[in-house]
Amino acid sequence: MNAPHIHSPTVAVAVSGGVDSLCAVVMLHNAGFRVLALHGLFLPDGPTVAPAGLAEACATLGVPLHVADLREAFQREVLTPFAAAYAQGRTPNPCAYCNRAIKFGVLLDTALALGADKLATGHYARLVPGPDSPTEAGEDENPKVLPLLAVAADAAKDQSYFLSLVPRQRLSHALFPLYGQNKEQTRAIVAAAGLAVPLPSESQDICFAPPVAQAGVSAAEAYRPFLERHWQAAGTIAPGPGPVLLQDAAGNRREIARHKGLWRYTEGQRKGLGIAHTEPLFVLTKDSATNSLVVGPRALLGIRTCVTGPANIALPPHLWPDRLLVRLRHRQRPCPASVQVEDACLRIMLAEPQFPTAPGQVAAVYDEEGRVLAAGVVEEMA
């Protein structure tokens, strides 16, 4: 990291108790910034205090720890929409929604209210100048140039996809100290500081309803206790069983089985369908209007277009380069596409058929330098 100016800003670091956020505290503290740690309480049924050991780790560094109760906002902005989306047959991406509404929403507001100038997190992502910066646009003076989100140095840990819905204005208050390193370097920095990590295990699932690792069980099925509890509280009745339709290459469909509820399945799913057939079947689409699950062979799985809802346009489209890349799922490599902005939504035309995404997932648009130009929540695909 570059050395801070003589009058260093105050940086709040969002700390969960894991190694990534703790490393961000260490790096900023060692760089001479005025640092305060900020732990958010998110889960309605979760702990009401910071993880054991987090206060000790902060005290070792001489960093004050603040705890913010954000459970009501988390329920409203993340949990309730998550359960409602599944009831509608969608496959939501709660981490992306949380980053936009909670971490760089109410948690950032809390940090600013505490006197911080910036909020740092343990995300692996970069902030870089955009093509509209003074040096590239040829302007003499522009005191408020906003950064663009971009991919991290370690592609395996890059989290720009999950941050792509955060407005650029909010990112102007963000810092991502871990952008240039890998996980091994992160662990080494914390170990060199002599700190014990309060939450040493790394969660691979969503924080509020981690699915049980069980062969043949979909994530939605594993979330079932969580979803049904929230549906009952909201008075929601999720659609029940319906027909499973087998589609052939000509587009003809015939019923071959019954499904147990569309919310249990997601586009592209193969395992857990419980359908005996002569060849492996995949979920092609879900027809909520008829409560039908449409399946077919792998050859019919690819999609060529998708449309999002109102998008987070980080950079005006007239400044986009000719060659664009789109990521439709976190694990998917960015693929070439053309993108049009229509009524603030994104219409994405893929250069080659791709493994399907799902309504509720995020479509993020990148340039070849890894900068995020726009992102939106997928509504339709074909």
Side-chain angles (χ1 to χ4, degrees):
M1 294 183 61
N2 294 330
H5 296 295
I6 295 176
H7 300 291
S8 298
T10 298
V11 180
V13 182
V15 289
S16 62
V19 67
D20 294 327
S21 58
L22 196 57
C23 181
V25 173
V26 173
M27 293 177 70
L28 292 166
H29 176 266
N30 290 347
F33 287 92
R34 294 192 295 270
V35 178
L36 63 89
L38 181 57
H39 178 76
L41 302 177
F42 296 157
L43 307 181
D45 300 325
T48 56
V49 295
L54 183 56
E56 289 81 353
C58 292
T60 299
L61 297 172
V63 171
L65 173 64
H66 298 264
V67 177
D69 189 347
L70 305 177
R71 290 175 292 179
E72 181 179 343
F74 192 75
Q75 174 73 51
R76 180 181 66 252
E77 300 291 342
V78 179
L79 298 184
T80 298
F82 177 83
Y86 264 108
Q88 296 163 5
R90 296 162 65 88
T91 305
N93 191 317
C95 295
Y97 308 159
C98 178
N99 284 329
R100 176 180 60 187
I102 303 299
K103 290 178 183 173
F104 290 99
V106 291
L107 189 65
L108 171 57
D109 291 339
T110 301
L112 297 177
L114 288 170
D117 303 286
K118 301 279 187 177
L119 175 67
T121 69
H123 287 105
Y124 291 81
R126 283 186 300 151
L127 293 173
V128 299
D132 53 350
S133 65
T135 56
E136 293 178 312
E139 300 174 15
D140 294 330
E141 185 176 357
N142 185 353
K144 190 61 175 178
V145 176
L146 303 178
L148 275 179
L149 180 68
V151 297
D154 184 358
K157 292 298 296 180
D158 173 59
Q159 293 172 302
S160 62
Y161 174 82
F162 293 114
L163 291 160
S164 61
L165 297 181
V166 179
R168 200 173 172 188
Q169 177 64 47
R170 305 296 285 183
L171 289 175
S172 67
H173 297 284
L175 284 178
F176 300 124
L178 278 56
Y179 72 92
Q181 64 197 44
N182 58 37
K183 193 75 173 190
E184 289 70 27
Q185 291 170 314
T186 294
R187 293 193 180 99
I189 290 171
V190 173
L195 301 178
V197 180
L199 301 178
S201 61
E202 184 175 6
S203 174
Q204 298 296 324
D205 301 307
I206 60 174
C207 65
F208 53 86
V212 178
Q214 184 177 343
V217 175
S218 68
E221 181 65 27
Y223 297 151
R224 180 177 178 177
F226 169 88
L227 293 171
E228 291 186 336
R229 185 169 68 251
H230 280 76
W231 290 340
Q232 183 177 12
T236 299
I237 300 176
V244 176
L245 305 180
L246 176 64
Q247 180 171 310
D248 61 25
N252 300 313
R253 297 175 178 178
R254 62 182 177 88
E255 184 173 343
I256 60 169
R258 303 285 292 178
H259 67 75
K260 300 178 181 179
L262 291 182
W263 62 270
R264 300 171 185 262
Y265 312 90
T266 189
E267 286 78 354
Q269 179 180 335
R270 175 188 172 187
K271 297 181 180 179
L273 299 183
I275 302 172
H277 196 63
T278 56
E279 61 181 321
L281 296 177
F282 297 79
V283 175
L284 302 181
T285 188
K286 298 189 288 186
D287 187 341
S288 298
T290 61
N291 195 30
S292 300
L293 183 72
V294 182
V295 300
R298 170 83 187 196
L300 302 182
L301 199 59
I303 63 169
R304 293 299 298 260
T305 65
C306 73
V307 178
T308 75
N312 174 36
I313 309 295
L315 191 71
H318 72 273
L319 293 176
W320 292 2
D322 293 333
R323 180 172 167 79
L324 300 174
L325 302 172
V326 173
R327 181 178 287 172
L328 300 178
R329 287 183 182 267
H330 170 49
R331 297 295 182 188
Q332 181 197 54
R333 294 182 61 181
C335 55
S338 59
V339 183
Q340 297 175 352
V341 179
E342 300 176 354
D343 297 326
C345 301
L346 303 177
R347 176 173 293 277
I348 298 168
M349 288 73 70
L350 301 163
E352 299 289 341
Q354 298 294 324
F355 191 84
T357 182
Q361 290 293 300
V362 172
V365 182
Y366 294 78
D367 64 14
E368 290 188 294
E369 298 178 43
R371 297 180 295 197
V372 178
L373 308 179
V377 177
V378 173
E379 297 293 335
E380 304 172 10
M381 57 184 182

